[in-house]
Amino acid sequence: MSAREPGFNRARRHWLSAAGIGAASSVLPGLSACRRAEPGGLRPDVQGGWVGAHADRGHAWRDAQTPNAACAPPRRVHTLIIGAGVAGLSAARTLMRAGLDDLAVLDLEDTPGGNARGHLVRGLPCPLGAHYLPMPGPDATEVAQWLEEIGLIRHEHGRWVGDERHLCHSPQERLFIPDAKQDKPGLWRGQWRDGLLPQQGLSADDLAQYRRFSQDVSTASRELGFAMPTFKRHWHAGLAALDQQSFAQWLSKQGYTSRPLLWLLDYACRDDFGAGLGRVSAWAGLHYFASRHGFELPGQGEAHDAVLTWPEGNGWLTRQLARDLGDRVQTGQVALQVEAGRHEVAVQSWHAGHQCRHSWLAQRVILCIPLFVAQRLLRTPLPPLQEMAPRMAYAPWLVSNVMLTTAFTDRPGMPLSWDNVPYTDEGVAGVPMPSLGYVDARHQSLAPATGPMLLTHYWALGGQDATQGQAMRSALLKGSWQDWARHVLADLSRIHPDLPGLVQQMDLMRYGHAMSIPVPGVRGHAALAALSEPHGRLHLAHSDLSGYSVFEEAFTHGVRAARQVLAASGMARRMA
Ligand SMILES: Cc1cc2nc3c(=O)[nH]c(=O)nc-3n(C[C@H](O)[C@H](O)[C@H](O)COP(=O)(O)OP(=O)(O)OC[C@H]3O[C@@H](n4cnc5c(N)ncnc54)[C@H](O)[C@@H]3O)c2cc1C
């Protein structure tokens, strides 16, 4: 998984030096060290398994299989936050800073962070999900304020400058271009190229379409207004028209046919939204570029490409957010039921460790969970939630951390980079959509790069339509970890045939409902906007409220909901 649009900006810096590509070949030793495995094969001695998610807990409320014994007498808190993802943690932090520290944050998993958690494979840190945060744009003021506070960025000469230790080190991204002549089926010959913008063998028409798309993004940005977080801009008919059609439909109407351009746009959608351009709305497809720095062509303008990243991905950020909350964060606690009364809200949760129920009574509850979960928890239906929950579509994802005993034999063209992406539309047997490639989890490590190699392989499985997405979710949830490890190895070994022989351990994280896909009709729906308003003693904050999921959206919803709680509690003047 790669940086969003800034990655493409980065790529353009190397466009003009394309003639030099290939000179920096970096063929690593390692082939002799490998044990035998069929290409894509999983050796029986490889350790691994599913990690990170307790699907049984997630389904506890649905299946009502939880015992009824009470753990303790009901507990009162002023504000109860359900969900310790980015939104829940940022809400808690905002309340604490304003002096409202009578709060608890419940999460069903054993560690806070939600989709932005880190993991360890044999002591080495790696991401389980989200792994980078671009330098904040002009509308992400709440995020920027926090990053400044924790010393990650500073304001210099009117712009944000990131701390070099946490900005992605060079080389940042490379694209593997398979050769038309294959060695044998399932194996690719080819070379790595710098950046993610396909640059090889472009026709005059491809180049013209790149330029036209760049202009369309600039025009949309200037005339329609896109922001991240998206709720900071007024929603109007022009945006609604884009939201009513798929990105694929819009591109076709505009006469875009260039294969490299369409690959790039499809990759961008899979990368940020978890599904292809046939599924996401034209609003989302344009928002990806227009809410940041546009689709910049090779050789144009300044690079606006900096991203902050860590070996454990955004788990580093959520650890910072959770740091001052102490035991206010209660993990292993599955919220089962929420009943909003006139004077307080009653919440039931199930303690997975103690196998018993907790009762909570709160003045205010902030629901920082996906909308489909929120709808099921509420005893009294919330009309806009009933309207929206069935409309939401969620992308399944697979994130695999693959530890190798030593470095694989690399292909020529570019050295190992932070993000390594194959330029292909082809999946592997059993998985029709291509992967997003892999991230070198040790890239940001300041330790010498010797010893094992740790790769984080990303696969967004939302597909090009709802049927494909649903089929992938079933396959992901039904398959064994070994089945999916084989798919991942089949994917990786197309580029690195010796890689399966070097694998020591594979830790796989599967998400059935990883992130909401901005399908047509979701972002612009009035009920979605209504959910950002307070509903009596209930408040909602989750990236779902933006119709798609990135750190900036989740964080800002958390701050917004916390400010509503403070205002309702007469503490508005103390807002952070
Ligand atoms: C594989 C992957 C890669 C990603 N990469 C990036 C990236 O690089 N950069 C980026 O900006 N964004 C990325 N994202 C998007 C990411 O989802 C957001 O950045 C952000 O982490 C979303 O936070 P959230 O609080 O909205 O939701 P979530 O992370 O979904 O948090 C919701 C929390 O609620 C908890 N919960 C759910 N039900 C219950 C219940 N009944 N009781 C108690 N707790 C419950 C969950 O356990 C979870 O912790 C990625 C997402 C995925 C899945």
Side-chain angles (χ1 to χ4, degrees):
M1 175 150 170
S2 161
R4 297 182 286 250
E5 138 283 331
F8 308 134
N9 296 333
R10 257 190 306 288
R12 85 188 141 69
R13 277 193 271 134
H14 305 288
W15 176 283
L16 294 176
S17 62
I21 283 171
S25 165
S26 63
V27 181
L28 300 174
L31 193 56
S32 58
C34 75
R35 281 160 283 174
R36 289 190 71 77
E38 289 303 306
L42 178 70
R43 296 191 331 272
D45 59 320
V46 171
Q47 295 185 350
W50 296 120
V51 297
H54 290 92
D56 52 331
R57 294 185 196 167
H59 294 154
W61 45 261
R62 195 186 66 186
D63 305 336
Q65 285 165 346
T66 52
N68 275 317
C71 299
R75 196 180 142 191
R76 285 184 187 278
V77 284
H78 182 279
T79 302
L80 186 69
I81 297 171
I82 302 178
V86 171
L89 294 173
S90 98
R93 175 191 160 271
T94 307
L95 294 176
M96 293 273 289
R97 278 181 58 89
L100 200 166
D101 58 3
D102 181 17
L103 60 90
V105 190
L106 311 184
D107 200 282
L108 64 84
E109 297 297 351
D110 291 333
T111 45
N115 289 346
R117 279 177 294 152
H119 181 60
L120 290 174
V121 181
R122 301 190 184 205
L124 289 183
C126 51
L128 269 189
H131 67 108
Y132 69 91
L133 173 65
M135 287 290 286
D139 297 292
T141 44
E142 290 83 356
V143 174
Q145 215 177 355
W146 175 61
L147 295 181
E148 186 180 29
E149 193 184 300
I150 61 170
L152 276 180
I153 60 171
R154 57 188 189 282
H155 216 236
E156 265 180 23
H157 310 300
R159 65 188 190 106
W160 290 113
V161 178
D163 180 331
E164 287 293 334
R165 284 168 303 175
H166 305 290
L167 284 170
C168 185
H169 305 155
S170 189
Q172 205 153 304
E173 291 165 331
R174 60 178 185 168
L175 186 64
F176 185 77
I177 317 284
D179 198 314
K181 287 177 277 159
Q182 303 302 326
D183 292 317
K184 47 180 159 157
L187 286 186
W188 288 334
R189 272 194 286 163
Q191 296 215 344
W192 290 105
R193 307 289 181 196
D194 199 355
L196 295 186
L197 192 70
Q199 311 175 20
Q200 297 311 116
L202 296 180
S203 66
D205 185 48
D206 290 326
L207 278 168
Q209 292 198 30
Y210 272 30
R211 271 187 231 109
R212 185 153 67 86
F213 184 72
S214 175
Q215 274 163 12
D216 280 351
V217 169
S218 306
T219 309
S221 180
R222 204 176 44 248
E223 294 179 1
L224 298 178
F226 289 83
M228 187 181 293
T230 163
F231 72 84
K232 290 210 173 176
R233 286 288 156 81
H234 167 62
W235 187 261
H236 53 78
L239 295 175
L242 290 172
D243 191 46
Q244 290 306 320
Q245 54 191 313
S246 75
F247 195 25
Q249 285 167 336
W250 184 86
L251 288 163
S252 163
K253 275 190 236 157
Q254 308 302 315
Y256 286 111
T257 51
S258 156
R259 182 180 177 261
L261 176 68
L262 294 179
W263 175 85
L264 183 68
L265 301 181
D266 187 62
Y267 166 82
C269 291
R270 289 183 287 117
D271 185 44
D272 233 27
F273 307 130
L277 47 76
R279 254 198 119 175
V280 313
S281 71
W283 168 79
L286 289 170
H287 172 83
Y288 181 101
F289 299 98
S291 65
R292 290 194 174 276
H293 307 290
F295 183 91
E296 291 180 37
L297 288 168
Q300 268 187 357
E302 268 285 299
H304 304 284
D305 52 1
V307 300
L308 298 157
T309 185
W310 301 266
E312 69 272 48
N314 290 5
W316 190 93
L317 290 170
T318 49
R319 225 167 355 100
Q320 304 299 312
L321 277 173
R323 204 177 44 191
D324 299 330
L325 299 176
D327 62 7
R328 290 178 186 83
V329 178
Q330 305 233 340
T331 52
Q333 287 266 11
V334 191
L336 300 173
Q337 189 178 294
V338 176
E339 187 163 12
R342 211 159 145 212
H343 303 294
E344 55 193 1
V345 187
V347 174
Q348 296 284 318
S349 68
W350 177 61
H351 194 291
H354 299 153
Q355 298 273 308
C356 54
R357 282 180 187 247
H358 276 277
S359 298
W360 303 84
L361 293 168
Q363 290 298 304
R364 301 264 150 193
V365 166
I366 311 181
L367 297 161
C368 301
I369 46 183
L371 296 186
F372 76 98
V373 181
Q375 190 206 14
R376 287 172 183 170
L377 296 191
L378 289 182
R379 275 293 283 273
T380 311
L382 202 58
L385 192 55
Q386 282 184 302
E387 179 77 40
M388 273 330 285
R391 293 175 190 271
M392 305 298 289
Y394 293 89
W397 277 73
L398 176 70
V399 180
S400 310
N401 279 292
V402 185
M403 176 167 271
L404 311 182
T405 47
T406 181
F408 48 60
T409 307
D410 210 351
R411 299 303 188 125
M414 262 296 285
L416 180 66
S417 303
W418 172 59
D419 197 16
N420 307 271
V421 177
Y423 174 50
T424 183
D425 302 324
E426 290 171 31
V428 293
V431 189
M433 59 280 302
S435 80
L436 296 165
Y438 61 90
V439 164
D440 172 17
R442 300 194 65 191
H443 186 82
Q444 288 297 104
S445 166
L446 299 175
T450 52
M453 197 177 196
L454 185 53
L455 309 177
T456 311
H457 178 272
Y458 283 93
W459 222 328
L461 297 169
Q464 295 291 354
D465 57 42
T467 311
Q468 202 174 39
Q470 183 51 44
M472 281 296 101
R473 178 175 302 114
S474 311
L476 187 60
L477 299 181
K478 279 190 200 135
S480 67
W481 77 266
Q482 289 93 341
D483 293 336
W484 280 93
R486 273 185 212 102
H487 293 323
V488 170
L489 292 182
D491 187 49
L492 286 168
S493 63
R494 289 192 289 194
I495 304 177
H496 306 294
D498 63 329
L499 186 147
L502 303 170
V503 177
Q504 264 184 309
Q505 184 161 334
M506 292 184 72
D507 286 2
L508 279 65
M509 166 80 195
R510 58 180 162 184
Y511 296 85
H513 298 81
M515 50 166 69
S516 49
I517 305 170
V519 293
V522 162
R523 169 60 187 88
H525 203 290
L528 192 72
L531 288 172
S532 286
E533 300 298 323
H535 295 272
R537 296 181 174 277
L538 296 178
H539 308 260
L540 282 89
H542 186 266
S543 45
D544 273 14
L545 294 169
S546 296
Y548 79 108
S549 187
V550 293
F551 187 94
E552 297 92 320
E553 301 288 351
F555 186 95
T556 316
H557 279 298
V559 174
R560 189 249 322 130
R563 288 178 176 166
Q564 289 172 353
V565 166
L566 292 169
S569 314
M571 297 174 74
R573 274 184 296 123
R574 296 163 73 182
M575 280 179 200

